[in-house]
Amino acid sequence: MNRLRVKLKSERGASILLAMVFFLLCLTVGGVVLTAATASAGRIASQRQTQQDYLTASSAAEALRDILNETSFTITATTTVVTGADGIPREESIVSRNLETAETKALQPALAAAAAAVSKGETASPVELTIEAEGLDDVSARLTVSDGLGDDKYTVTVTLSVGDGTDGGRQSVTLTVPAASASHDEERHVTENDPATGETVQTDTYRSVEKITWPRGAITKGAAA
């Protein structure tokens, strides 16, 4: 070690060259360490942002699931048959559709329109929503209501995404909420005199009620296929 110090202090060319090589080696090692540290810090920041985006999307999905758990869609088909003294029945049919939900701003009209379309045998158009929360990035949501047969009918699927597409891309989760259906029929028969003519009028009312609810749901990572 002492000999190395002596050579480094020497003004001879070999010592100066050795000192330059040693300096360049230290500079190279330092650059490699600095580059690795910078890359590692970037990866950590990206991973942290990716995790935050995923948690934001998941929180929005949980909020939507809670809203859907308290939502119901009722279809009431009423047929009224009025038979006068002439014995000729006159029939009138009315179908009403009503969505009840705790959230009335953006989701209520969109889900009501989609469910109504499915109830008519039509394909519901996807609904685009933006979910905002103070202190968090906005979440983009795409909601669809299935017009399939059997248990798949009225299933609500929501794909929620957050992020700007950089540093790992947009983080997405999918909320899938199958529908439950319950129905019952009602009848009412009334015989009364028409005040205007004094004739006997028979009124028969038949009502069919179907109630759709979304009592459960699953959240999965990634966008819907």
PDB file of all heavy atoms in Angstrom, residues 39-78:
ATOM      1  N   ALA A  39     -32.837   3.626 -11.962  1.00  0.00           N
ATOM      2  CA  ALA A  39     -33.796   2.681 -12.559  1.00  0.00           C
ATOM      3  C   ALA A  39     -34.643   2.013 -11.490  1.00  0.00           C
ATOM      4  O   ALA A  39     -35.855   1.840 -11.649  1.00  0.00           O
ATOM      5  CB  ALA A  39     -33.045   1.633 -13.376  1.00  0.00           C
ATOM      6  N   SER A  40     -34.006   1.658 -10.379  1.00  0.00           N
ATOM      7  CA  SER A  40     -34.740   1.012  -9.283  1.00  0.00           C
ATOM      8  C   SER A  40     -35.771   1.956  -8.686  1.00  0.00           C
ATOM      9  O   SER A  40     -36.910   1.562  -8.411  1.00  0.00           O
ATOM     10  CB  SER A  40     -33.756   0.555  -8.205  1.00  0.00           C
ATOM     11  OG  SER A  40     -34.428  -0.022  -7.110  1.00  0.00           O
ATOM     12  N   ALA A  41     -35.388   3.223  -8.515  1.00  0.00           N
ATOM     13  CA  ALA A  41     -36.334   4.210  -7.975  1.00  0.00           C
ATOM     14  C   ALA A  41     -37.513   4.401  -8.916  1.00  0.00           C
ATOM     15  O   ALA A  41     -38.661   4.540  -8.483  1.00  0.00           O
ATOM     16  CB  ALA A  41     -35.610   5.534  -7.740  1.00  0.00           C
ATOM     17  N   GLY A  42     -37.242   4.393 -10.235  1.00  0.00           N
ATOM     18  CA  GLY A  42     -38.318   4.532 -11.213  1.00  0.00           C
ATOM     19  C   GLY A  42     -39.281   3.358 -11.169  1.00  0.00           C
ATOM     20  O   GLY A  42     -40.499   3.542 -11.257  1.00  0.00           O
ATOM     21  N   ARG A  43     -38.716   2.141 -11.037  1.00  0.00           N
ATOM     22  CA  ARG A  43     -39.579   0.950 -10.970  1.00  0.00           C
ATOM     23  C   ARG A  43     -40.441   0.970  -9.719  1.00  0.00           C
ATOM     24  O   ARG A  43     -41.616   0.619  -9.753  1.00  0.00           O
ATOM     25  CB  ARG A  43     -38.725  -0.323 -10.999  1.00  0.00           C
ATOM     26  CG  ARG A  43     -38.176  -0.681 -12.376  1.00  0.00           C
ATOM     27  CD  ARG A  43     -37.655  -2.109 -12.395  1.00  0.00           C
ATOM     28  NE  ARG A  43     -36.586  -2.308 -11.426  1.00  0.00           N
ATOM     29  CZ  ARG A  43     -35.299  -2.112 -11.689  1.00  0.00           C
ATOM     30  NH1 ARG A  43     -34.928  -1.698 -12.888  1.00  0.00           N
ATOM     31  NH2 ARG A  43     -34.384  -2.332 -10.766  1.00  0.00           N
ATOM     32  N   ILE A  44     -39.850   1.382  -8.606  1.00  0.00           N
ATOM     33  CA  ILE A  44     -40.608   1.432  -7.349  1.00  0.00           C
ATOM     34  C   ILE A  44     -41.751   2.437  -7.453  1.00  0.00           C
ATOM     35  O   ILE A  44     -42.883   2.174  -7.036  1.00  0.00           O
ATOM     36  CB  ILE A  44     -39.673   1.781  -6.181  1.00  0.00           C
ATOM     37  CG1 ILE A  44     -38.693   0.628  -5.926  1.00  0.00           C
ATOM     38  CG2 ILE A  44     -40.480   2.087  -4.918  1.00  0.00           C
ATOM     39  CD1 ILE A  44     -37.629   0.955  -4.892  1.00  0.00           C
ATOM     40  N   ALA A  45     -41.461   3.606  -8.043  1.00  0.00           N
ATOM     41  CA  ALA A  45     -42.505   4.632  -8.205  1.00  0.00           C
ATOM     42  C   ALA A  45     -43.615   4.134  -9.126  1.00  0.00           C
ATOM     43  O   ALA A  45     -44.805   4.363  -8.873  1.00  0.00           O
ATOM     44  CB  ALA A  45     -41.879   5.908  -8.763  1.00  0.00           C
ATOM     45  N   SER A  46     -43.219   3.435 -10.210  1.00  0.00           N
ATOM     46  CA  SER A  46     -44.212   2.908 -11.150  1.00  0.00           C
ATOM     47  C   SER A  46     -45.078   1.841 -10.497  1.00  0.00           C
ATOM     48  O   SER A  46     -46.306   1.817 -10.666  1.00  0.00           O
ATOM     49  CB  SER A  46     -43.498   2.329 -12.377  1.00  0.00           C
ATOM     50  OG  SER A  46     -44.430   1.735 -13.263  1.00  0.00           O
ATOM     51  N   GLN A  47     -44.435   0.955  -9.727  1.00  0.00           N
ATOM     52  CA  GLN A  47     -45.187  -0.098  -9.038  1.00  0.00           C
ATOM     53  C   GLN A  47     -46.147   0.495  -8.015  1.00  0.00           C
ATOM     54  O   GLN A  47     -47.268   0.030  -7.843  1.00  0.00           O
ATOM     55  CB  GLN A  47     -44.216  -1.060  -8.373  1.00  0.00           C
ATOM     56  CG  GLN A  47     -43.419  -1.909  -9.357  1.00  0.00           C
ATOM     57  CD  GLN A  47     -42.327  -2.707  -8.679  1.00  0.00           C
ATOM     58  OE1 GLN A  47     -42.111  -2.591  -7.470  1.00  0.00           O
ATOM     59  NE2 GLN A  47     -41.623  -3.524  -9.456  1.00  0.00           N
ATOM     60  N   ARG A  48     -45.671   1.549  -7.334  1.00  0.00           N
ATOM     61  CA  ARG A  48     -46.522   2.201  -6.332  1.00  0.00           C
ATOM     62  C   ARG A  48     -47.744   2.842  -6.995  1.00  0.00           C
ATOM     63  O   ARG A  48     -48.856   2.742  -6.493  1.00  0.00           O
ATOM     64  CB  ARG A  48     -45.692   3.246  -5.583  1.00  0.00           C
ATOM     65  CG  ARG A  48     -46.415   3.889  -4.412  1.00  0.00           C
ATOM     66  CD  ARG A  48     -45.452   4.778  -3.655  1.00  0.00           C
ATOM     67  NE  ARG A  48     -44.328   4.021  -3.116  1.00  0.00           N
ATOM     68  CZ  ARG A  48     -43.232   4.582  -2.635  1.00  0.00           C
ATOM     69  NH1 ARG A  48     -43.098   5.897  -2.645  1.00  0.00           N
ATOM     70  NH2 ARG A  48     -42.262   3.831  -2.146  1.00  0.00           N
ATOM     71  N   GLN A  49     -47.534   3.496  -8.145  1.00  0.00           N
ATOM     72  CA  GLN A  49     -48.641   4.118  -8.862  1.00  0.00           C
ATOM     73  C   GLN A  49     -49.602   3.067  -9.413  1.00  0.00           C
ATOM     74  O   GLN A  49     -50.825   3.243  -9.377  1.00  0.00           O
ATOM     75  CB  GLN A  49     -48.108   4.983 -10.011  1.00  0.00           C
ATOM     76  CG  GLN A  49     -49.190   5.760 -10.753  1.00  0.00           C
ATOM     77  CD  GLN A  49     -49.946   6.712  -9.849  1.00  0.00           C
ATOM     78  OE1 GLN A  49     -49.340   7.500  -9.127  1.00  0.00           O
ATOM     79  NE2 GLN A  49     -51.273   6.658  -9.871  1.00  0.00           N
ATOM     80  N   THR A  50     -49.039   1.962  -9.920  1.00  0.00           N
ATOM     81  CA  THR A  50     -49.874   0.874 -10.430  1.00  0.00           C
ATOM     82  C   THR A  50     -50.760   0.307  -9.328  1.00  0.00           C
ATOM     83  O   THR A  50     -51.958   0.065  -9.529  1.00  0.00           O
ATOM     84  CB  THR A  50     -48.992  -0.240 -11.018  1.00  0.00           C
ATOM     85  OG1 THR A  50     -48.261   0.276 -12.131  1.00  0.00           O
ATOM     86  CG2 THR A  50     -49.841  -1.418 -11.484  1.00  0.00           C
ATOM     87  N   GLN A  51     -50.173   0.113  -8.147  1.00  0.00           N
ATOM     88  CA  GLN A  51     -50.945  -0.409  -7.021  1.00  0.00           C
ATOM     89  C   GLN A  51     -52.029   0.572  -6.600  1.00  0.00           C
ATOM     90  O   GLN A  51     -53.164   0.184  -6.296  1.00  0.00           O
ATOM     91  CB  GLN A  51     -50.003  -0.707  -5.846  1.00  0.00           C
ATOM     92  CG  GLN A  51     -50.690  -1.263  -4.607  1.00  0.00           C
ATOM     93  CD  GLN A  51     -51.280  -2.647  -4.829  1.00  0.00           C
ATOM     94  OE1 GLN A  51     -51.043  -3.270  -5.863  1.00  0.00           O
ATOM     95  NE2 GLN A  51     -52.054  -3.131  -3.871  1.00  0.00           N
ATOM     96  N   GLN A  52     -51.687   1.879  -6.601  1.00  0.00           N
ATOM     97  CA  GLN A  52     -52.666   2.900  -6.229  1.00  0.00           C
ATOM     98  C   GLN A  52     -53.819   2.929  -7.226  1.00  0.00           C
ATOM     99  O   GLN A  52     -54.990   3.048  -6.838  1.00  0.00           O
ATOM    100  CB  GLN A  52     -52.001   4.268  -6.149  1.00  0.00           C
ATOM    101  CG  GLN A  52     -52.946   5.395  -5.747  1.00  0.00           C
ATOM    102  CD  GLN A  52     -53.588   5.171  -4.391  1.00  0.00           C
ATOM    103  OE1 GLN A  52     -52.888   4.949  -3.411  1.00  0.00           O
ATOM    104  NE2 GLN A  52     -54.907   5.202  -4.331  1.00  0.00           N
ATOM    105  N   ASP A  53     -53.505   2.819  -8.517  1.00  0.00           N
ATOM    106  CA  ASP A  53     -54.545   2.805  -9.544  1.00  0.00           C
ATOM    107  C   ASP A  53     -55.466   1.603  -9.365  1.00  0.00           C
ATOM    108  O   ASP A  53     -56.689   1.707  -9.508  1.00  0.00           O
ATOM    109  CB  ASP A  53     -53.915   2.774 -10.938  1.00  0.00           C
ATOM    110  CG  ASP A  53     -53.254   4.094 -11.301  1.00  0.00           C
ATOM    111  OD1 ASP A  53     -53.505   5.089 -10.605  1.00  0.00           O
ATOM    112  OD2 ASP A  53     -52.484   4.121 -12.279  1.00  0.00           O
ATOM    113  N   TYR A  54     -54.881   0.453  -9.062  1.00  0.00           N
ATOM    114  CA  TYR A  54     -55.689  -0.758  -8.852  1.00  0.00           C
ATOM    115  C   TYR A  54     -56.612  -0.606  -7.639  1.00  0.00           C
ATOM    116  O   TYR A  54     -57.796  -0.969  -7.694  1.00  0.00           O
ATOM    117  CB  TYR A  54     -54.773  -1.965  -8.666  1.00  0.00           C
ATOM    118  CG  TYR A  54     -55.494  -3.219  -8.228  1.00  0.00           C
ATOM    119  CD1 TYR A  54     -56.327  -3.907  -9.116  1.00  0.00           C
ATOM    120  CD2 TYR A  54     -55.365  -3.699  -6.932  1.00  0.00           C
ATOM    121  CE1 TYR A  54     -57.004  -5.046  -8.705  1.00  0.00           C
ATOM    122  CE2 TYR A  54     -56.045  -4.831  -6.521  1.00  0.00           C
ATOM    123  CZ  TYR A  54     -56.855  -5.508  -7.407  1.00  0.00           C
ATOM    124  OH  TYR A  54     -57.539  -6.620  -7.002  1.00  0.00           O
ATOM    125  N   LEU A  55     -56.080  -0.045  -6.560  1.00  0.00           N
ATOM    126  CA  LEU A  55     -56.896   0.147  -5.354  1.00  0.00           C
ATOM    127  C   LEU A  55     -58.015   1.154  -5.608  1.00  0.00           C
ATOM    128  O   LEU A  55     -59.129   0.992  -5.097  1.00  0.00           O
ATOM    129  CB  LEU A  55     -56.010   0.610  -4.198  1.00  0.00           C
ATOM    130  CG  LEU A  55     -54.993  -0.407  -3.672  1.00  0.00           C
ATOM    131  CD1 LEU A  55     -54.112   0.226  -2.606  1.00  0.00           C
ATOM    132  CD2 LEU A  55     -55.697  -1.645  -3.124  1.00  0.00           C
ATOM    133  N   THR A  56     -57.729   2.181  -6.395  1.00  0.00           N
ATOM    134  CA  THR A  56     -58.761   3.171  -6.726  1.00  0.00           C
ATOM    135  C   THR A  56     -59.888   2.539  -7.529  1.00  0.00           C
ATOM    136  O   THR A  56     -61.070   2.741  -7.245  1.00  0.00           O
ATOM    137  CB  THR A  56     -58.142   4.336  -7.528  1.00  0.00           C
ATOM    138  OG1 THR A  56     -57.128   4.968  -6.741  1.00  0.00           O
ATOM    139  CG2 THR A  56     -59.203   5.355  -7.903  1.00  0.00           C
ATOM    140  N   ALA A  57     -59.527   1.751  -8.553  1.00  0.00           N
ATOM    141  CA  ALA A  57     -60.536   1.069  -9.371  1.00  0.00           C
ATOM    142  C   ALA A  57     -61.334   0.075  -8.534  1.00  0.00           C
ATOM    143  O   ALA A  57     -62.555  -0.039  -8.686  1.00  0.00           O
ATOM    144  CB  ALA A  57     -59.870   0.368 -10.551  1.00  0.00           C
ATOM    145  N   SER A  58     -60.662  -0.642  -7.632  1.00  0.00           N
ATOM    146  CA  SER A  58     -61.352  -1.620  -6.781  1.00  0.00           C
ATOM    147  C   SER A  58     -62.330  -0.942  -5.834  1.00  0.00           C
ATOM    148  O   SER A  58     -63.436  -1.438  -5.596  1.00  0.00           O
ATOM    149  CB  SER A  58     -60.325  -2.436  -5.979  1.00  0.00           C
ATOM    150  OG  SER A  58     -59.483  -3.182  -6.831  1.00  0.00           O
ATOM    151  N   SER A  59     -61.929   0.214  -5.286  1.00  0.00           N
ATOM    152  CA  SER A  59     -62.815   0.947  -4.377  1.00  0.00           C
ATOM    153  C   SER A  59     -64.071   1.421  -5.105  1.00  0.00           C
ATOM    154  O   SER A  59     -65.185   1.357  -4.563  1.00  0.00           O
ATOM    155  CB  SER A  59     -62.074   2.144  -3.773  1.00  0.00           C
ATOM    156  OG  SER A  59     -60.986   1.715  -2.986  1.00  0.00           O
ATOM    157  N   ALA A  60     -63.891   1.894  -6.338  1.00  0.00           N
ATOM    158  CA  ALA A  60     -65.048   2.326  -7.130  1.00  0.00           C
ATOM    159  C   ALA A  60     -65.962   1.139  -7.428  1.00  0.00           C
ATOM    160  O   ALA A  60     -67.195   1.271  -7.402  1.00  0.00           O
ATOM    161  CB  ALA A  60     -64.568   2.968  -8.429  1.00  0.00           C
ATOM    162  N   ALA A  61     -65.370  -0.016  -7.707  1.00  0.00           N
ATOM    163  CA  ALA A  61     -66.173  -1.220  -7.981  1.00  0.00           C
ATOM    164  C   ALA A  61     -66.975  -1.636  -6.750  1.00  0.00           C
ATOM    165  O   ALA A  61     -68.146  -2.026  -6.856  1.00  0.00           O
ATOM    166  CB  ALA A  61     -65.263  -2.359  -8.435  1.00  0.00           C
ATOM    167  N   GLU A  62     -66.364  -1.540  -5.588  1.00  0.00           N
ATOM    168  CA  GLU A  62     -67.069  -1.893  -4.353  1.00  0.00           C
ATOM    169  C   GLU A  62     -68.239  -0.934  -4.103  1.00  0.00           C
ATOM    170  O   GLU A  62     -69.311  -1.360  -3.653  1.00  0.00           O
ATOM    171  CB  GLU A  62     -66.097  -1.863  -3.182  1.00  0.00           C
ATOM    172  CG  GLU A  62     -65.074  -2.989  -3.211  1.00  0.00           C
ATOM    173  CD  GLU A  62     -64.028  -2.848  -2.114  1.00  0.00           C
ATOM    174  OE1 GLU A  62     -64.096  -1.850  -1.364  1.00  0.00           O
ATOM    175  OE2 GLU A  62     -63.151  -3.729  -2.016  1.00  0.00           O
ATOM    176  N   ALA A  63     -68.032   0.351  -4.395  1.00  0.00           N
ATOM    177  CA  ALA A  63     -69.106   1.327  -4.214  1.00  0.00           C
ATOM    178  C   ALA A  63     -70.271   1.032  -5.154  1.00  0.00           C
ATOM    179  O   ALA A  63     -71.447   1.088  -4.750  1.00  0.00           O
ATOM    180  CB  ALA A  63     -68.575   2.744  -4.452  1.00  0.00           C
ATOM    181  N   LEU A  64     -69.958   0.693  -6.416  1.00  0.00           N
ATOM    182  CA  LEU A  64     -71.018   0.344  -7.367  1.00  0.00           C
ATOM    183  C   LEU A  64     -71.743  -0.924  -6.942  1.00  0.00           C
ATOM    184  O   LEU A  64     -72.964  -1.029  -7.086  1.00  0.00           O
ATOM    185  CB  LEU A  64     -70.422   0.152  -8.760  1.00  0.00           C
ATOM    186  CG  LEU A  64     -70.250   1.394  -9.630  1.00  0.00           C
ATOM    187  CD1 LEU A  64     -69.658   1.005 -10.974  1.00  0.00           C
ATOM    188  CD2 LEU A  64     -71.570   2.125  -9.821  1.00  0.00           C
ATOM    189  N   ARG A  65     -70.997  -1.900  -6.443  1.00  0.00           N
ATOM    190  CA  ARG A  65     -71.626  -3.142  -6.001  1.00  0.00           C
ATOM    191  C   ARG A  65     -72.618  -2.879  -4.864  1.00  0.00           C
ATOM    192  O   ARG A  65     -73.719  -3.446  -4.836  1.00  0.00           O
ATOM    193  CB  ARG A  65     -70.558  -4.139  -5.541  1.00  0.00           C
ATOM    194  CG  ARG A  65     -71.126  -5.479  -5.062  1.00  0.00           C
ATOM    195  CD  ARG A  65     -70.023  -6.471  -4.762  1.00  0.00           C
ATOM    196  NE  ARG A  65     -69.116  -5.981  -3.730  1.00  0.00           N
ATOM    197  CZ  ARG A  65     -68.015  -6.637  -3.341  1.00  0.00           C
ATOM    198  NH1 ARG A  65     -67.699  -7.784  -3.924  1.00  0.00           N
ATOM    199  NH2 ARG A  65     -67.240  -6.137  -2.403  1.00  0.00           N
ATOM    200  N   ASP A  66     -72.231  -2.016  -3.933  1.00  0.00           N
ATOM    201  CA  ASP A  66     -73.133  -1.686  -2.825  1.00  0.00           C
ATOM    202  C   ASP A  66     -74.411  -1.020  -3.343  1.00  0.00           C
ATOM    203  O   ASP A  66     -75.511  -1.282  -2.842  1.00  0.00           O
ATOM    204  CB  ASP A  66     -72.427  -0.765  -1.832  1.00  0.00           C
ATOM    205  CG  ASP A  66     -71.301  -1.471  -1.082  1.00  0.00           C
ATOM    206  OD1 ASP A  66     -71.286  -2.719  -1.092  1.00  0.00           O
ATOM    207  OD2 ASP A  66     -70.439  -0.785  -0.515  1.00  0.00           O
ATOM    208  N   ILE A  67     -74.258  -0.135  -4.346  1.00  0.00           N
ATOM    209  CA  ILE A  67     -75.433   0.527  -4.917  1.00  0.00           C
ATOM    210  C   ILE A  67     -76.343  -0.486  -5.610  1.00  0.00           C
ATOM    211  O   ILE A  67     -77.570  -0.475  -5.428  1.00  0.00           O
ATOM    212  CB  ILE A  67     -75.004   1.625  -5.908  1.00  0.00           C
ATOM    213  CG1 ILE A  67     -74.318   2.776  -5.161  1.00  0.00           C
ATOM    214  CG2 ILE A  67     -76.196   2.157  -6.697  1.00  0.00           C
ATOM    215  CD1 ILE A  67     -73.698   3.814  -6.070  1.00  0.00           C
ATOM    216  N   LEU A  68     -75.749  -1.390  -6.397  1.00  0.00           N
ATOM    217  CA  LEU A  68     -76.548  -2.391  -7.109  1.00  0.00           C
ATOM    218  C   LEU A  68     -77.236  -3.346  -6.147  1.00  0.00           C
ATOM    219  O   LEU A  68     -78.343  -3.834  -6.433  1.00  0.00           O
ATOM    220  CB  LEU A  68     -75.663  -3.169  -8.078  1.00  0.00           C
ATOM    221  CG  LEU A  68     -75.214  -2.406  -9.328  1.00  0.00           C
ATOM    222  CD1 LEU A  68     -74.139  -3.176 -10.074  1.00  0.00           C
ATOM    223  CD2 LEU A  68     -76.400  -2.138 -10.241  1.00  0.00           C
ATOM    224  N   ASN A  69     -76.602  -3.625  -5.004  1.00  0.00           N
ATOM    225  CA  ASN A  69     -77.222  -4.504  -4.008  1.00  0.00           C
ATOM    226  C   ASN A  69     -78.529  -3.935  -3.481  1.00  0.00           C
ATOM    227  O   ASN A  69     -79.399  -4.680  -3.008  1.00  0.00           O
ATOM    228  CB  ASN A  69     -76.267  -4.736  -2.834  1.00  0.00           C
ATOM    229  CG  ASN A  69     -75.104  -5.645  -3.186  1.00  0.00           C
ATOM    230  OD1 ASN A  69     -74.128  -5.719  -2.465  1.00  0.00           O
ATOM    231  ND2 ASN A  69     -75.173  -6.326  -4.324  1.00  0.00           N
ATOM    232  N   GLU A  70     -78.678  -2.597  -3.560  1.00  0.00           N
ATOM    233  CA  GLU A  70     -79.888  -1.940  -3.058  1.00  0.00           C
ATOM    234  C   GLU A  70     -80.795  -1.467  -4.189  1.00  0.00           C
ATOM    235  O   GLU A  70     -81.668  -0.636  -3.978  1.00  0.00           O
ATOM    236  CB  GLU A  70     -79.490  -0.746  -2.186  1.00  0.00           C
ATOM    237  CG  GLU A  70     -78.648  -1.123  -0.971  1.00  0.00           C
ATOM    238  CD  GLU A  70     -78.211   0.078  -0.168  1.00  0.00           C
ATOM    239  OE1 GLU A  70     -78.578   1.199  -0.557  1.00  0.00           O
ATOM    240  OE2 GLU A  70     -77.525  -0.103   0.850  1.00  0.00           O
ATOM    241  N   THR A  71     -80.571  -2.014  -5.386  1.00  0.00           N
ATOM    242  CA  THR A  71     -81.331  -1.589  -6.559  1.00  0.00           C
ATOM    243  C   THR A  71     -82.293  -2.685  -7.004  1.00  0.00           C
ATOM    244  O   THR A  71     -81.975  -3.871  -6.931  1.00  0.00           O
ATOM    245  CB  THR A  71     -80.377  -1.252  -7.723  1.00  0.00           C
ATOM    246  OG1 THR A  71     -79.526  -0.171  -7.325  1.00  0.00           O
ATOM    247  CG2 THR A  71     -81.139  -0.849  -8.972  1.00  0.00           C
ATOM    248  N   SER A  72     -83.467  -2.283  -7.451  1.00  0.00           N
ATOM    249  CA  SER A  72     -84.449  -3.243  -7.979  1.00  0.00           C
ATOM    250  C   SER A  72     -85.114  -2.662  -9.225  1.00  0.00           C
ATOM    251  O   SER A  72     -85.261  -1.443  -9.361  1.00  0.00           O
ATOM    252  CB  SER A  72     -85.504  -3.588  -6.931  1.00  0.00           C
ATOM    253  OG  SER A  72     -86.265  -2.440  -6.592  1.00  0.00           O
ATOM    254  N   PHE A  73     -85.483  -3.550 -10.125  1.00  0.00           N
ATOM    255  CA  PHE A  73     -86.148  -3.168 -11.370  1.00  0.00           C
ATOM    256  C   PHE A  73     -87.434  -3.979 -11.467  1.00  0.00           C
ATOM    257  O   PHE A  73     -87.403  -5.211 -11.473  1.00  0.00           O
ATOM    258  CB  PHE A  73     -85.240  -3.455 -12.563  1.00  0.00           C
ATOM    259  CG  PHE A  73     -85.839  -3.095 -13.900  1.00  0.00           C
ATOM    260  CD1 PHE A  73     -86.128  -1.780 -14.222  1.00  0.00           C
ATOM    261  CD2 PHE A  73     -86.122  -4.077 -14.844  1.00  0.00           C
ATOM    262  CE1 PHE A  73     -86.678  -1.446 -15.456  1.00  0.00           C
ATOM    263  CE2 PHE A  73     -86.660  -3.761 -16.074  1.00  0.00           C
ATOM    264  CZ  PHE A  73     -86.940  -2.440 -16.388  1.00  0.00           C
ATOM    265  N   THR A  74     -88.572  -3.297 -11.474  1.00  0.00           N
ATOM    266  CA  THR A  74     -89.868  -3.972 -11.455  1.00  0.00           C
ATOM    267  C   THR A  74     -90.601  -3.764 -12.775  1.00  0.00           C
ATOM    268  O   THR A  74     -90.737  -2.630 -13.247  1.00  0.00           O
ATOM    269  CB  THR A  74     -90.742  -3.449 -10.294  1.00  0.00           C
ATOM    270  OG1 THR A  74     -90.030  -3.607  -9.057  1.00  0.00           O
ATOM    271  CG2 THR A  74     -92.057  -4.216 -10.222  1.00  0.00           C
ATOM    272  N   ILE A  75     -91.080  -4.868 -13.341  1.00  0.00           N
ATOM    273  CA  ILE A  75     -91.861  -4.834 -14.575  1.00  0.00           C
ATOM    274  C   ILE A  75     -93.282  -5.284 -14.234  1.00  0.00           C
ATOM    275  O   ILE A  75     -93.490  -6.394 -13.728  1.00  0.00           O
ATOM    276  CB  ILE A  75     -91.280  -5.781 -15.641  1.00  0.00           C
ATOM    277  CG1 ILE A  75     -89.794  -5.492 -15.843  1.00  0.00           C
ATOM    278  CG2 ILE A  75     -92.035  -5.662 -16.950  1.00  0.00           C
ATOM    279  CD1 ILE A  75     -89.066  -6.589 -16.583  1.00  0.00           C
ATOM    280  N   THR A  76     -94.234  -4.418 -14.476  1.00  0.00           N
ATOM    281  CA  THR A  76     -95.634  -4.733 -14.165  1.00  0.00           C
ATOM    282  C   THR A  76     -96.456  -4.697 -15.444  1.00  0.00           C
ATOM    283  O   THR A  76     -96.552  -3.663 -16.114  1.00  0.00           O
ATOM    284  CB  THR A  76     -96.206  -3.725 -13.156  1.00  0.00           C
ATOM    285  OG1 THR A  76     -95.378  -3.697 -11.979  1.00  0.00           O
ATOM    286  CG2 THR A  76     -97.625  -4.101 -12.765  1.00  0.00           C
ATOM    287  N   ALA A  77     -97.031  -5.836 -15.787  1.00  0.00           N
ATOM    288  CA  ALA A  77     -97.897  -5.932 -16.966  1.00  0.00           C
ATOM    289  C   ALA A  77     -99.340  -6.072 -16.489  1.00  0.00           C
ATOM    290  O   ALA A  77     -99.687  -7.041 -15.795  1.00  0.00           O
ATOM    291  CB  ALA A  77     -97.507  -7.133 -17.818  1.00  0.00           C
ATOM    292  N   THR A  78    -100.169  -5.098 -16.854  1.00  0.00           N
ATOM    293  CA  THR A  78    -101.569  -5.080 -16.399  1.00  0.00           C
ATOM    294  C   THR A  78    -102.502  -5.187 -17.601  1.00  0.00           C
ATOM    295  O   THR A  78    -102.397  -4.402 -18.553  1.00  0.00           O
ATOM    296  CB  THR A  78    -101.871  -3.787 -15.626  1.00  0.00           C
ATOM    297  OG1 THR A  78    -100.949  -3.657 -14.534  1.00  0.00           O
ATOM    298  CG2 THR A  78    -103.294  -3.804 -15.086  1.00  0.00           C
TER     299      THR A  78
END
